[in-house]
Amino acid sequence: LTAALGASSSHGREGRVSEWNGRYEAKVGPALRRQLSDTARARRASQTHPVIVRVRRDLFETLEASGPSRSSPNALATVHGYAARLTARQIEELSQSDQVEYVSRDEVIRPAGKPARGGGGGSTESSLNPFTSTLGIAQKFKGQNLTNLMGFDGSGVTVAVLDSGIFQHYDFQGTSRMLARLDFTSGEPLLDEDEDPYGHGTHVAGIIGGRGFKSNGQHTGLAPGVDFVSLRVVGPDGIGLTSNLIRAIDWVIANQDAYGIRVANLSLGHAATESYTDDPLCLAVGRMVEAGIVTVVSAGNLGKTAEYPKIWGAITSPGISPAVITVGAANTRATETQSDDVATTYSSRGPTVDGLFKPDLVAPGNRVPSTTFNTSTLAANYPDLAVDNYYTLLSGTSMATGYVTGTVALMLEANPELTPRMVKAILMLTATKMTEAHPLEQGNGLLNAFTAVELAAAVDVVSQSIHGAVSPRRDLNGETVWAGGAFAFGDQVVYSDLVDSSRLGQLWGDGTTWSEGWVWSDGTVWTDGLFEPESVFWADGFLWSDAFFWTDAFFWSDTTVWSDGFLWSDTFLATEGYFWSDGFFWSDSSLTFDAQGAHDFAGDP
């Protein structure tokens, strides 16, 4: 690679030092620059570092077409780059080449699921699953088939799970359930014979589409009719490399038509160290969305440390990408009702390192029972979390991501014509606001699977209209659950006509926790009043003051005002911010809301 780019020991040393330094800082990621600086101080000039080098697209295509095998094993086609191990000097020299776009550290990725505190246990005799019923799945069909929502179960939709693999659990039995099973942990796609030695992917897949055979239906996933493609990118130790994950993404894009892949689930990531415009993993998932694949990713579990009980700005990559659906975790207390739901303490809070509004929404993520591989690393290390030999308890934004992915599969079965941007808009629009959680903890609210699927089914993409009435409210075990009536993206949030601005205190808090500046109609950027006086923020593994984020540089001026037809724009959600107006989706726009009292529960991890 260095030879192809014409790099040499003297390349880039000519001219002014300031120009050389400017190129270096502009083209080498900040985390990698710090790492190289530490290496230089330690005088380990010969040490190599795992990196991802992105080059000009025309050069990449030329190199790939002229190679001896016409395909380099180190090539990362989606980002027009290469995975490599280079010395500090080589990286410095590459940064001076006009052919090089950017050099990033090949970050270690980890799943966003963790052992659930408090032990396992639990009955499999009840026919009610509180995690799915709170989302509206079982609420309409109690005593009947709990695997269906309005007759949909995800049939005809293939979900790619990029994780630690999927074990052939009893709950995944059925015709053509596992369409492909590949292992990318060595860098090349190999047949995955170990299936899931770590145990995380099996748990996530059960939430998405497990059939509940071994639990009498209680631990059925949201979309038990889906097919799976299992792509292992995390090893038995629970870690992997970004470059291997990008290789798996390359495979998904290349094979989406052959396997009918409509959704990708990434319940993993790494701490965000650079802007989504430079981050290779963000670029890769963005291209997956451009290819028409709905991409659902976890927000991360960096919401707190032992020293800091509440951290802001810790959304992980690729969740920082505005193209994907980023999911945080809610604690539903394992009850069907929503009045006791709260944000979890560990779920990563927004904003992103670019100052964008994230997460997009939250879903149940606390002490979730799902399918297990009982000889996996997680099962062996945490035997007390076992519900029985077939199910175990895990917590994290990984689990929450699985619930959203399952809902997306139902939406796409209900309406195969939906684009990724339309799916995202519907999820954000229908989410249920939690009364106490901060907007940067809950995003647009708690996943409302029932209304999301109902609205998805009513959308006519061809005529660009909504067929039939879709109610913004539903009854849930004696409570009235409302679709949010507003959503936010980028650094702005705007309310529709459904929301009575005089009652925002009841909808979004009492004004003591959040700044009044949160209720925006004029494009005001984030204000310090949104946060507690001694809030801390996360940036590249270090805690910074809030001054790091809240500068004018994070105000996006290219927002667009959307009218009734906003669902039909080809560029919907392509920018970092937008407005929407009119409550035309709903059959009942007379919004009422009974404020629920706050609850103080212990035991949230």
Side-chain angles (χ1 to χ4, degrees):
L1 178 61
T2 55
L5 294 174
S8 66
S9 60
S10 61
H11 182 80
R13 300 294 182 175
E14 301 175 359
R16 294 182 305 170
V17 172
S18 60
E19 182 180 351
W20 188 94
N21 288 337
R23 283 175 173 256
Y24 178 71
E25 292 185 3
K27 292 188 177 184
V28 179
L32 181 56
R33 292 202 308 270
R34 281 194 295 272
Q35 182 176 322
L36 298 180
S37 177
D38 292 341
T39 299
R41 284 197 294 268
R43 297 183 179 178
R44 295 193 298 268
S46 62
Q47 179 180 346
T48 60
H49 307 269
V51 296
I52 295 174
V53 182
R54 291 192 291 110
V55 301
R56 288 168 54 105
R57 179 173 182 172
D58 56 349
L59 173 64
F60 179 83
E61 292 174 348
T62 299
L63 291 173
E64 290 306 289
S66 61
S69 63
R70 292 186 177 271
S71 179
S72 167
N74 295 326
L76 306 174
T78 306
V79 298
H80 308 130
Y82 296 88
R85 293 194 66 94
L86 302 175
T87 66
R89 174 62 62 85
Q90 289 174 319
I91 294 169
E92 292 170 356
E93 292 167 358
L94 285 177
S95 71
Q96 303 306 301
S97 172
D98 291 336
Q99 302 283 9
V100 172
E101 298 282 351
Y102 203 77
V103 185
S104 301
R105 191 166 62 182
D106 193 354
E107 299 282 357
V108 171
I109 56 171
R110 291 180 172 83
K114 63 176 190 172
R117 195 175 72 178
S123 169
T124 59
E125 297 178 359
S126 171
S127 62
L128 178 65
N129 182 335
F131 294 95
T132 56
S133 61
T134 194
L135 304 177
I137 297 298
Q139 184 256 342
K140 195 172 181 178
F141 293 94
K142 283 183 182 177
Q144 301 178 37
N145 186 356
L146 301 184
T147 66
N148 289 325
L149 173 62
M150 293 175 287
F152 303 118
D153 65 358
S155 294
V157 177
T158 300
V159 177
V161 178
L162 291 76
D163 210 293
S164 62
I166 302 176
F167 170 64
Q168 284 281 28
H169 192 280
Y170 289 98
D171 283 8
F172 300 130
Q173 292 180 354
T175 304
S176 301
R177 297 234 61 198
M178 294 293 167
L179 303 185
R181 188 190 301 274
L182 298 172
D183 178 3
F184 286 82
T185 56
S186 65
E188 296 186 32
L190 305 172
L191 181 64
D192 188 2
E193 297 179 349
D194 292 332
E195 296 180 342
D196 187 8
Y198 184 61
H200 184 269
T202 299
H203 194 276
V204 172
I207 294 171
I208 297 169
R211 292 186 170 177
F213 291 147
K214 286 296 182 178
S215 62
N216 297 320
Q218 184 188 20
H219 301 320
T220 302
L222 266 75
V226 299
D227 291 325
F228 287 105
V229 166
S230 174
L231 305 178
R232 183 150 69 98
V233 296
V234 172
D237 54 359
I239 63 174
L241 282 176
T242 294
S243 56
N244 291 336
L245 176 53
I246 294 176
R247 289 185 177 98
I249 291 172
D250 288 347
W251 187 93
V252 170
I253 295 173
N255 292 276
Q256 66 180 111
D257 292 336
Y259 293 97
I261 300 171
R262 296 296 311 276
V263 195
N265 187 100
L266 285 75
S267 291
L268 40 71
H270 62 74
T273 62
E274 51 203 7
S275 169
Y276 77 89
T277 59
D278 295 320
D279 186 316
L281 184 52
C282 289
L283 295 175
V285 295
R287 299 209 168 108
M288 192 153 53
V289 173
E290 290 174 5
I293 299 169
V294 182
T295 304
V296 190
V297 307
S298 54
N301 300 332
L302 301 179
K304 69 175 182 179
T305 65
E307 184 178 2
Y308 298 99
K310 183 174 285 190
I311 299 172
W312 301 92
I315 303 294
T316 57
S317 174
I320 61 173
S321 167
V324 302
I325 300 168
T326 305
V327 186
N331 186 348
T332 61
R333 308 299 180 189
T335 64
E336 184 179 6
T337 55
Q338 293 189 357
S339 58
D340 58 351
D341 296 352
V342 295
T344 60
T345 58
Y346 54 79
S347 182
S348 290
R349 299 171 181 83
T352 71
V353 294
D354 293 293
L356 304 183
F357 183 97
K358 288 282 184 172
D360 294 308
L361 75 166
V362 295
N366 213 62
R367 293 178 55 78
V368 176
S370 186
T371 46
T372 188
F373 178 25
N374 56 20
T375 62
S376 66
T377 300
L378 284 175
N381 290 344
Y382 303 98
D384 58 321
L385 300 181
V387 175
D388 52 34
N389 288 331
Y390 306 103
Y391 304 95
T392 194
L393 298 174
L394 291 179
S395 293
T397 55
S398 282
M399 289 62 252
T401 302
Y403 281 115
V404 174
T405 295
T407 300
V408 171
L410 298 175
M411 294 169 66
L412 290 174
E413 183 195 4
N415 191 341
E417 300 302 317
L418 294 177
T419 66
R421 291 182 177 120
M422 293 172 68
V423 168
K424 182 175 182 179
I426 291 170
L427 287 170
M428 294 162 70
L429 183 63
T430 57
T432 303
K433 300 297 182 290
M434 296 192 296
T435 57
E436 294 300 315
H438 191 285
L440 292 173
E441 291 178 316
Q442 66 169 299
N444 295 280
L446 179 69
L447 172 66
N448 182 353
F450 182 87
T451 308
V453 176
E454 190 174 44
L455 178 55
V459 170
D460 187 325
V461 177
V462 176
S463 65
Q464 298 186 1
S465 61
I466 308 297
H467 289 180
V470 179
S471 175
R473 65 183 179 186
R474 60 184 172 88
D475 295 326
L476 180 65
N477 198 20
E479 295 181 353
T480 299
V481 175
W482 286 91
F487 58 89
F489 196 71
D491 62 1
Q492 300 193 33
V493 61
V494 177
Y495 300 91
S496 77
D497 295 340
L498 280 175
V499 177
D500 181 353
S501 60
S502 66
R503 308 195 70 195
L504 285 173
Q506 292 178 335
L507 287 167
W508 281 95
D510 58 9
T512 59
T513 303
W514 308 333
S515 163
E516 294 180 358
W518 173 252
V519 184
W520 295 328
S521 59
D522 60 359
T524 306
V525 298
W526 308 109
T527 62
D528 290 340
L530 279 172
F531 304 98
E532 298 165 359
E534 297 182 357
S535 293
V536 292
F537 296 81
W538 182 284
D540 194 20
F542 296 92
L543 295 171
W544 296 66
S545 68
D546 54 3
F548 179 79
F549 291 102
W550 314 122
T551 63
D552 291 340
F554 295 121
F555 179 77
W556 302 92
S557 59
D558 59 350
T559 53
T560 303
V561 178
W562 301 89
S563 63
D564 288 357
F566 74 91
L567 275 178
W568 320 117
S569 170
D570 291 337
T571 58
F572 182 66
L573 296 187
T575 59
E576 285 71 32
Y578 57 82
F579 293 99
W580 70 283
S581 63
D582 300 341
F584 73 101
F585 283 127
W586 314 115
S587 61
D588 182 357
S589 60
S590 57
L591 182 64
T592 58
F593 189 90
D594 295 325
Q596 300 291 335
H599 297 272
D600 183 16
F601 293 91
D604 175 28

